Amino acid sequence: MLQEFLLKKGYTKIKLHLTKTNHFEIKATINGKKGLFILDTGASSSCVGFEAIERFELNAEDSKIKAAGAGAIDMDTKTSKENKIKIGKWSHNKAILVLFNLTHVNTALVNHNSKPVDGIIGADILKKGKAIIDYEKKYLYLKL
């Protein structure tokens, strides 16, 4: 069984919640503050909305990078370095987060009877955690 194999190999499992929009939601902690995130394997960087900068105690720095996704392009961004991110028992102490306006994402979620999110967990974090997603059982596995 996949779960037994991965747990023996030093992975931890995190429950995923499938939303009405067919996205996986995941709970994570940034700098000790809990939040709700979309798991997005197609997002190159993990992101947090501008409105959550204070709550997650992020040090926002201006960035020349423009964000694009979910139908929006050329969005101004900021970056935040040296963040502690915790997902289940897995943690990373030097996460770099891209900060941008998530209003368009949350408007789409709310319009489809889903909860707004604080951000997106992207491929950068998933690669760092050697992530394995069990789509059938709705679990994310990250290597401790």
Side-chain angles (χ1 to χ4, degrees), residues 11-44:
Y11 278 79
T12 184
K13 75 175 186 172
I14 301 103
K15 186 71 179 151
L16 297 171
H17 175 257
L18 191 62
T19 68
K20 291 184 174 114
T21 57
N22 226 17
H23 291 97
F24 278 130
E25 279 178 351
I26 188 166
K27 290 176 182 164
T29 304
I30 298 176
N31 301 328
K33 308 288 187 268
K34 291 180 182 172
L36 186 64
F37 298 84
I38 286 176
L39 189 70
D40 187 348
T41 59
S44 54

Short mmCIF file of all heavy atoms in Angstrom, two decimals, residues 11-44:
data_model
loop_
_atom_site.label_atom_id
_atom_site.label_comp_id
_atom_site.label_asym_id
_atom_site.label_seq_id
_atom_site.Cartn_x
_atom_site.Cartn_y
_atom_site.Cartn_z
N TYR A 11 8.20 9.80 4.99
CA TYR A 11 7.26 10.84 4.55
C TYR A 11 6.22 11.07 5.64
O TYR A 11 5.96 10.19 6.47
CB TYR A 11 6.54 10.40 3.28
CG TYR A 11 7.33 10.63 2.01
CD1 TYR A 11 8.34 9.74 1.64
CD2 TYR A 11 7.07 11.71 1.18
CE1 TYR A 11 9.06 9.94 0.46
CE2 TYR A 11 7.78 11.91 0.02
CZ TYR A 11 8.78 11.03 -0.33
OH TYR A 11 9.49 11.23 -1.49
N THR A 12 5.62 12.23 5.63
CA THR A 12 4.47 12.52 6.47
C THR A 12 3.27 12.75 5.55
O THR A 12 3.45 13.17 4.40
CB THR A 12 4.73 13.75 7.37
OG1 THR A 12 3.62 13.94 8.24
CG2 THR A 12 4.96 15.02 6.57
N LYS A 13 2.07 12.44 6.04
CA LYS A 13 0.90 12.63 5.16
C LYS A 13 0.04 13.77 5.68
O LYS A 13 -0.10 13.98 6.87
CB LYS A 13 0.11 11.34 5.01
CG LYS A 13 -0.72 10.93 6.18
CD LYS A 13 -1.55 9.69 5.82
CE LYS A 13 -2.48 9.37 6.95
NZ LYS A 13 -3.43 8.33 6.64
N ILE A 14 -0.51 14.50 4.71
CA ILE A 14 -1.34 15.67 5.00
C ILE A 14 -2.64 15.49 4.22
O ILE A 14 -2.61 15.25 3.01
CB ILE A 14 -0.64 16.98 4.58
CG1 ILE A 14 0.69 17.14 5.32
CG2 ILE A 14 -1.53 18.18 4.84
CD1 ILE A 14 1.89 16.83 4.49
N LYS A 15 -3.75 15.65 4.90
CA LYS A 15 -5.07 15.50 4.27
C LYS A 15 -5.34 16.67 3.34
O LYS A 15 -5.07 17.82 3.67
CB LYS A 15 -6.15 15.44 5.36
CG LYS A 15 -7.54 15.15 4.84
CD LYS A 15 -7.67 13.73 4.35
CE LYS A 15 -9.06 13.42 3.85
NZ LYS A 15 -9.05 12.39 2.82
N LEU A 16 -5.86 16.36 2.16
CA LEU A 16 -6.26 17.39 1.20
C LEU A 16 -7.78 17.42 1.15
O LEU A 16 -8.44 16.41 1.31
CB LEU A 16 -5.72 17.04 -0.19
CG LEU A 16 -4.20 17.01 -0.34
CD1 LEU A 16 -3.82 16.43 -1.70
CD2 LEU A 16 -3.60 18.38 -0.14
N HIS A 17 -8.31 18.61 0.91
CA HIS A 17 -9.76 18.77 0.79
C HIS A 17 -10.08 19.23 -0.63
O HIS A 17 -9.54 20.24 -1.09
CB HIS A 17 -10.25 19.80 1.82
CG HIS A 17 -11.70 20.12 1.68
ND1 HIS A 17 -12.15 21.28 1.10
CD2 HIS A 17 -12.81 19.42 2.02
CE1 HIS A 17 -13.48 21.28 1.10
NE2 HIS A 17 -13.89 20.16 1.66
N LEU A 18 -10.91 18.47 -1.33
CA LEU A 18 -11.28 18.83 -2.70
C LEU A 18 -12.45 19.80 -2.67
O LEU A 18 -13.49 19.52 -2.08
CB LEU A 18 -11.66 17.56 -3.48
CG LEU A 18 -11.81 17.73 -4.99
CD1 LEU A 18 -10.50 18.16 -5.64
CD2 LEU A 18 -12.30 16.43 -5.61
N THR A 19 -12.27 20.97 -3.28
CA THR A 19 -13.31 22.00 -3.28
C THR A 19 -14.29 21.77 -4.42
O THR A 19 -14.06 20.94 -5.31
CB THR A 19 -12.69 23.40 -3.46
OG1 THR A 19 -12.16 23.49 -4.79
CG2 THR A 19 -11.61 23.68 -2.43
N LYS A 20 -15.36 22.57 -4.41
CA LYS A 20 -16.35 22.49 -5.49
C LYS A 20 -15.76 22.93 -6.82
O LYS A 20 -16.30 22.62 -7.87
CB LYS A 20 -17.57 23.35 -5.13
CG LYS A 20 -18.36 22.77 -3.98
CD LYS A 20 -19.61 23.58 -3.69
CE LYS A 20 -20.44 22.88 -2.64
NZ LYS A 20 -20.53 23.61 -1.40
N THR A 21 -14.66 23.68 -6.78
CA THR A 21 -14.00 24.12 -8.01
C THR A 21 -12.97 23.09 -8.49
O THR A 21 -12.21 23.35 -9.41
CB THR A 21 -13.32 25.49 -7.82
OG1 THR A 21 -12.39 25.38 -6.73
CG2 THR A 21 -14.31 26.58 -7.55
N ASN A 22 -12.92 21.94 -7.80
CA ASN A 22 -12.00 20.86 -8.15
C ASN A 22 -10.54 21.20 -7.85
O ASN A 22 -9.63 20.69 -8.51
CB ASN A 22 -12.17 20.44 -9.61
CG ASN A 22 -12.23 18.94 -9.76
OD1 ASN A 22 -12.46 18.22 -8.79
ND2 ASN A 22 -12.02 18.46 -10.97
N HIS A 23 -10.31 22.06 -6.88
CA HIS A 23 -8.96 22.36 -6.40
C HIS A 23 -8.75 21.63 -5.07
O HIS A 23 -9.71 21.42 -4.33
CB HIS A 23 -8.79 23.86 -6.11
CG HIS A 23 -8.80 24.70 -7.34
ND1 HIS A 23 -9.93 25.36 -7.79
CD2 HIS A 23 -7.82 25.02 -8.21
CE1 HIS A 23 -9.64 26.03 -8.88
NE2 HIS A 23 -8.37 25.84 -9.16
N PHE A 24 -7.51 21.29 -4.79
CA PHE A 24 -7.20 20.76 -3.47
C PHE A 24 -6.84 21.93 -2.56
O PHE A 24 -5.99 22.75 -2.89
CB PHE A 24 -6.03 19.78 -3.51
CG PHE A 24 -6.41 18.40 -3.91
CD1 PHE A 24 -5.71 17.74 -4.90
CD2 PHE A 24 -7.46 17.73 -3.28
CE1 PHE A 24 -6.05 16.44 -5.27
CE2 PHE A 24 -7.81 16.43 -3.64
CZ PHE A 24 -7.10 15.79 -4.63
N GLU A 25 -7.49 21.99 -1.40
CA GLU A 25 -7.15 22.96 -0.36
C GLU A 25 -6.26 22.26 0.65
O GLU A 25 -6.41 21.07 0.90
CB GLU A 25 -8.40 23.42 0.39
CG GLU A 25 -9.21 24.46 -0.27
CD GLU A 25 -10.45 24.80 0.53
OE1 GLU A 25 -10.78 24.12 1.52
OE2 GLU A 25 -11.10 25.78 0.15
N ILE A 26 -5.37 23.05 1.24
CA ILE A 26 -4.46 22.50 2.24
C ILE A 26 -4.25 23.56 3.32
O ILE A 26 -4.20 24.76 3.02
CB ILE A 26 -3.13 22.07 1.59
CG1 ILE A 26 -2.25 21.33 2.58
CG2 ILE A 26 -2.41 23.24 0.95
CD1 ILE A 26 -1.11 20.59 1.92
N LYS A 27 -4.14 23.12 4.55
CA LYS A 27 -3.85 24.04 5.64
C LYS A 27 -2.34 24.08 5.84
O LYS A 27 -1.68 23.04 5.80
CB LYS A 27 -4.55 23.58 6.92
CG LYS A 27 -6.05 23.75 6.84
CD LYS A 27 -6.75 23.22 8.06
CE LYS A 27 -8.25 23.40 7.85
NZ LYS A 27 -9.03 22.61 8.78
N ALA A 28 -1.81 25.27 6.01
CA ALA A 28 -0.38 25.44 6.23
C ALA A 28 -0.18 26.59 7.22
O ALA A 28 -1.08 27.40 7.44
CB ALA A 28 0.34 25.74 4.92
N THR A 29 1.00 26.63 7.81
CA THR A 29 1.35 27.69 8.74
C THR A 29 2.54 28.45 8.17
O THR A 29 3.53 27.83 7.75
CB THR A 29 1.71 27.09 10.12
OG1 THR A 29 0.61 26.29 10.56
CG2 THR A 29 1.98 28.16 11.15
N ILE A 30 2.44 29.76 8.15
CA ILE A 30 3.55 30.60 7.72
C ILE A 30 3.91 31.50 8.89
O ILE A 30 3.05 32.21 9.42
CB ILE A 30 3.20 31.44 6.47
CG1 ILE A 30 2.89 30.53 5.29
CG2 ILE A 30 4.34 32.41 6.14
CD1 ILE A 30 2.43 31.26 4.05
N ASN A 31 5.17 31.43 9.30
CA ASN A 31 5.67 32.22 10.42
C ASN A 31 4.76 32.10 11.65
O ASN A 31 4.48 33.07 12.34
CB ASN A 31 5.85 33.69 10.01
CG ASN A 31 6.83 33.83 8.85
OD1 ASN A 31 7.78 33.06 8.73
ND2 ASN A 31 6.60 34.78 7.98
N GLY A 32 4.28 30.88 11.87
CA GLY A 32 3.47 30.59 13.06
C GLY A 32 1.99 30.91 12.95
O GLY A 32 1.24 30.69 13.88
N LYS A 33 1.55 31.43 11.80
CA LYS A 33 0.14 31.80 11.61
C LYS A 33 -0.51 30.84 10.62
O LYS A 33 0.00 30.63 9.53
CB LYS A 33 0.02 33.24 11.09
CG LYS A 33 0.78 34.27 11.89
CD LYS A 33 0.13 34.54 13.23
CE LYS A 33 0.77 35.67 13.97
NZ LYS A 33 1.83 35.35 14.86
N LYS A 34 -1.67 30.31 10.99
CA LYS A 34 -2.37 29.34 10.15
C LYS A 34 -3.07 30.00 8.97
O LYS A 34 -3.57 31.12 9.09
CB LYS A 34 -3.40 28.58 10.97
CG LYS A 34 -2.79 27.66 11.99
CD LYS A 34 -3.86 26.94 12.78
CE LYS A 34 -3.18 26.06 13.82
NZ LYS A 34 -4.09 25.47 14.76
N GLY A 35 -3.12 29.28 7.86
CA GLY A 35 -3.82 29.78 6.69
C GLY A 35 -4.35 28.65 5.83
O GLY A 35 -4.03 27.48 6.04
N LEU A 36 -5.17 29.02 4.87
CA LEU A 36 -5.77 28.09 3.93
C LEU A 36 -5.21 28.38 2.54
O LEU A 36 -5.19 29.53 2.11
CB LEU A 36 -7.30 28.24 3.93
CG LEU A 36 -8.09 27.23 3.11
CD1 LEU A 36 -7.91 25.82 3.67
CD2 LEU A 36 -9.56 27.60 3.09
N PHE A 37 -4.77 27.33 1.85
CA PHE A 37 -4.08 27.49 0.58
C PHE A 37 -4.62 26.51 -0.45
O PHE A 37 -5.14 25.46 -0.11
CB PHE A 37 -2.57 27.24 0.76
CG PHE A 37 -1.94 28.23 1.70
CD1 PHE A 37 -1.99 28.03 3.07
CD2 PHE A 37 -1.32 29.37 1.22
CE1 PHE A 37 -1.43 28.95 3.95
CE2 PHE A 37 -0.76 30.29 2.09
CZ PHE A 37 -0.81 30.08 3.45
N ILE A 38 -4.46 26.88 -1.71
CA ILE A 38 -4.74 25.97 -2.82
C ILE A 38 -3.41 25.28 -3.15
O ILE A 38 -2.37 25.93 -3.20
CB ILE A 38 -5.26 26.73 -4.06
CG1 ILE A 38 -6.70 27.17 -3.84
CG2 ILE A 38 -5.16 25.85 -5.30
CD1 ILE A 38 -7.25 28.00 -4.97
N LEU A 39 -3.47 23.98 -3.36
CA LEU A 39 -2.31 23.23 -3.82
C LEU A 39 -2.30 23.32 -5.34
O LEU A 39 -3.28 22.90 -5.98
CB LEU A 39 -2.43 21.78 -3.36
CG LEU A 39 -1.22 20.90 -3.56
CD1 LEU A 39 -0.11 21.32 -2.61
CD2 LEU A 39 -1.59 19.45 -3.32
N ASP A 40 -1.25 23.88 -5.92
CA ASP A 40 -1.23 24.10 -7.37
C ASP A 40 0.10 23.65 -7.95
O ASP A 40 1.10 24.37 -7.89
CB ASP A 40 -1.47 25.59 -7.66
CG ASP A 40 -1.63 25.87 -9.15
OD1 ASP A 40 -1.34 24.98 -9.98
OD2 ASP A 40 -2.04 26.99 -9.49
N THR A 41 0.10 22.44 -8.51
CA THR A 41 1.34 21.89 -9.08
C THR A 41 1.81 22.69 -10.30
O THR A 41 2.96 22.61 -10.67
CB THR A 41 1.14 20.42 -9.49
OG1 THR A 41 0.10 20.34 -10.45
CG2 THR A 41 0.79 19.55 -8.28
N GLY A 42 0.91 23.45 -10.90
CA GLY A 42 1.26 24.24 -12.08
C GLY A 42 1.79 25.63 -11.75
O GLY A 42 2.27 26.33 -12.63
N ALA A 43 1.72 26.02 -10.48
CA ALA A 43 2.26 27.32 -10.07
C ALA A 43 3.74 27.13 -9.75
O ALA A 43 4.10 26.30 -8.92
CB ALA A 43 1.52 27.84 -8.85
N SER A 44 4.60 27.88 -10.42
CA SER A 44 6.03 27.70 -10.19
C SER A 44 6.45 28.15 -8.79
O SER A 44 7.35 27.57 -8.19
CB SER A 44 6.84 28.45 -11.26
OG SER A 44 6.45 29.81 -11.29
#
